[in-house]
Amino acid sequence: MKAILVNGSPRKSWNTAKALDSAGEGLKENGFDVERINLYDYTYKGCTSCFACKLKDAKTNGVCAMKDELRPVLEKLREADAIVLGSPVYFSQPLGQVRSFVERWLFPIYSYHYENGKPLLCRDKAIPCGMIYTMNLTEEMYKEWGYAEALKQTPKSMDEIMGCCETLNIFNTYQFKDYSRYDITLFDEEEKRAYRDRRFESDLKNAFELGCRIAKRAKSL
Ligand SMILES: Cc1cc2nc3c(=O)[nH]c(=O)nc-3n(C[C@H](O)[C@H](O)[C@H](O)COP(=O)(O)O)c2cc1C
């Protein structure tokens, strides 16, 4: 079985990528082939409302018809048995590149054709998904600043359209290699480093376990 990890961060070896790779280890441990895709390697746009994916009796029905570098990525995702999306939080949302990707990935699968109050989704079976957010804020700030509400919509769409989605939040991430080079008073480097040294390993373990659960769910379908 095949799992795709989609890294929405422009950075290919930082917090989001590391968490995704740990989820990938959990999937591999359960017999999956795992591939990581880095969205910033591709030039693409968000959905352009062409609605080719909703045309009656057309071969583009259920499939994104846009011809750009995201096309082969979307083809791979159609073959995947499990998908984990990772996104840094930018201004309390998944970053723009991830939003554009989600439009292109999920909108063709979501159908306007409803029966018994439910859309006839354009996929053969449920594909277990994971959503990993990494963010600068502490868990306390996340709660106080209303992030839970802002961040829940993307995994909710993944859950509704792909069949199930589990979310993992990673807080208070370490953002720079050398804090002394940057003009910052909002965060204290010592505190950040202490938190990272204390917590990041267990965050990665949580990501690993998320990968294991997704793999087991995918196998049980
Ligand atoms: C443009 C920009 C906006 C950001 N906005 C937020 C934010 O609103 N809330 C937050 O908690 N972190 C914010 N961050 C921090 C990142 O979400 C955080 O450092 C994340 O872990 C980075 O992921 P990476 O290390 O995989 O690149 C922002 C970072 C950038 C570059």
Side-chain angles (χ1 to χ4, degrees):
M1 295 177 95
K2 176 100 197 214
I4 306 280
L5 312 172
V6 182
N7 176 27
S9 172
R11 306 196 287 186
K12 293 182 191 174
S13 59
W14 277 72
N15 300 287
T16 313
K18 284 196 174 95
L20 279 172
D21 287 345
S22 292
E25 289 304 315
L27 283 146
K28 279 185 200 160
E29 184 121 321
N30 285 276
F32 272 70
D33 288 332
V34 175
E35 181 182 356
R36 163 142 68 95
I37 285 164
N38 300 297
L39 288 180
Y40 272 73
D41 283 345
Y42 301 91
T43 303
Y44 62 91
K45 291 192 165 78
C47 174
T48 52
S49 282
C50 73
F51 295 111
C53 64
K54 309 274 176 271
L55 276 176
K56 274 183 191 164
D57 305 322
K59 65 175 193 267
T60 55
N61 189 295
V63 180
C64 181
M66 286 174 67
K67 291 190 177 81
D68 63 13
E69 291 181 14
L70 199 63
R71 201 181 173 106
V73 174
L74 297 175
E75 275 164 21
K76 272 188 188 170
L77 290 173
R78 282 203 292 279
E79 303 298 316
D81 302 291
I83 297 164
V84 185
L85 172 61
S87 179
V89 173
Y90 283 6
F91 292 99
S92 69
Q93 298 285 343
L95 56 76
Q97 212 83 348
V98 168
R99 292 293 309 159
S100 296
F101 159 74
V102 167
E103 293 165 13
R104 298 279 302 281
W105 170 37
L106 294 184
F107 190 58
I109 300 168
Y110 170 70
S111 172
Y112 284 162
H113 186 131
Y114 272 58
E115 279 181 15
N116 303 320
K118 287 192 175 156
L120 294 180
L121 298 166
C122 302
R123 56 170 167 75
D124 299 332
K125 58 174 178 128
I127 306 292
C129 291
M131 176 81 228
I132 300 179
Y133 284 121
T134 73
M135 65 199 91
N136 233 339
L137 293 193
T138 62
E139 188 164 6
E140 294 70 34
M141 289 158 112
Y142 163 90
K143 285 178 187 153
E144 277 170 27
W145 295 14
Y147 269 49
E149 193 56 32
L151 292 175
K152 77 176 188 199
Q153 295 305 333
T154 298
K156 184 168 175 275
S157 298
M158 288 161 66
D159 186 76
E160 288 168 357
I161 296 171
M162 300 308 288
C164 50
C165 180
E166 186 182 335
T167 304
L168 173 68
N169 292 314
I170 298 182
F171 302 102
N172 206 358
T173 53
Y174 207 70
Q175 206 172 2
F176 314 102
K177 273 202 179 83
D178 178 0
Y179 274 68
S180 68
R181 293 182 58 219
Y182 300 90
D183 186 14
I184 311 167
T185 54
L186 179 61
F187 299 105
D188 179 83
E189 180 182 3
E190 289 307 312
E191 265 174 39
K192 276 266 183 204
R193 190 181 302 124
Y195 182 92
R196 180 195 61 186
D197 293 347
R198 200 170 64 243
R199 272 297 299 268
F200 199 56
E201 276 309 308
S202 71
D203 287 330
L204 295 183
K205 188 163 171 282
N206 290 338
F208 174 85
E209 285 163 2
L210 173 127
C212 293
R213 283 192 298 279
I214 289 173
K216 284 176 187 148
R217 209 167 289 147
K219 282 178 172 176
S220 72
L221 291 171

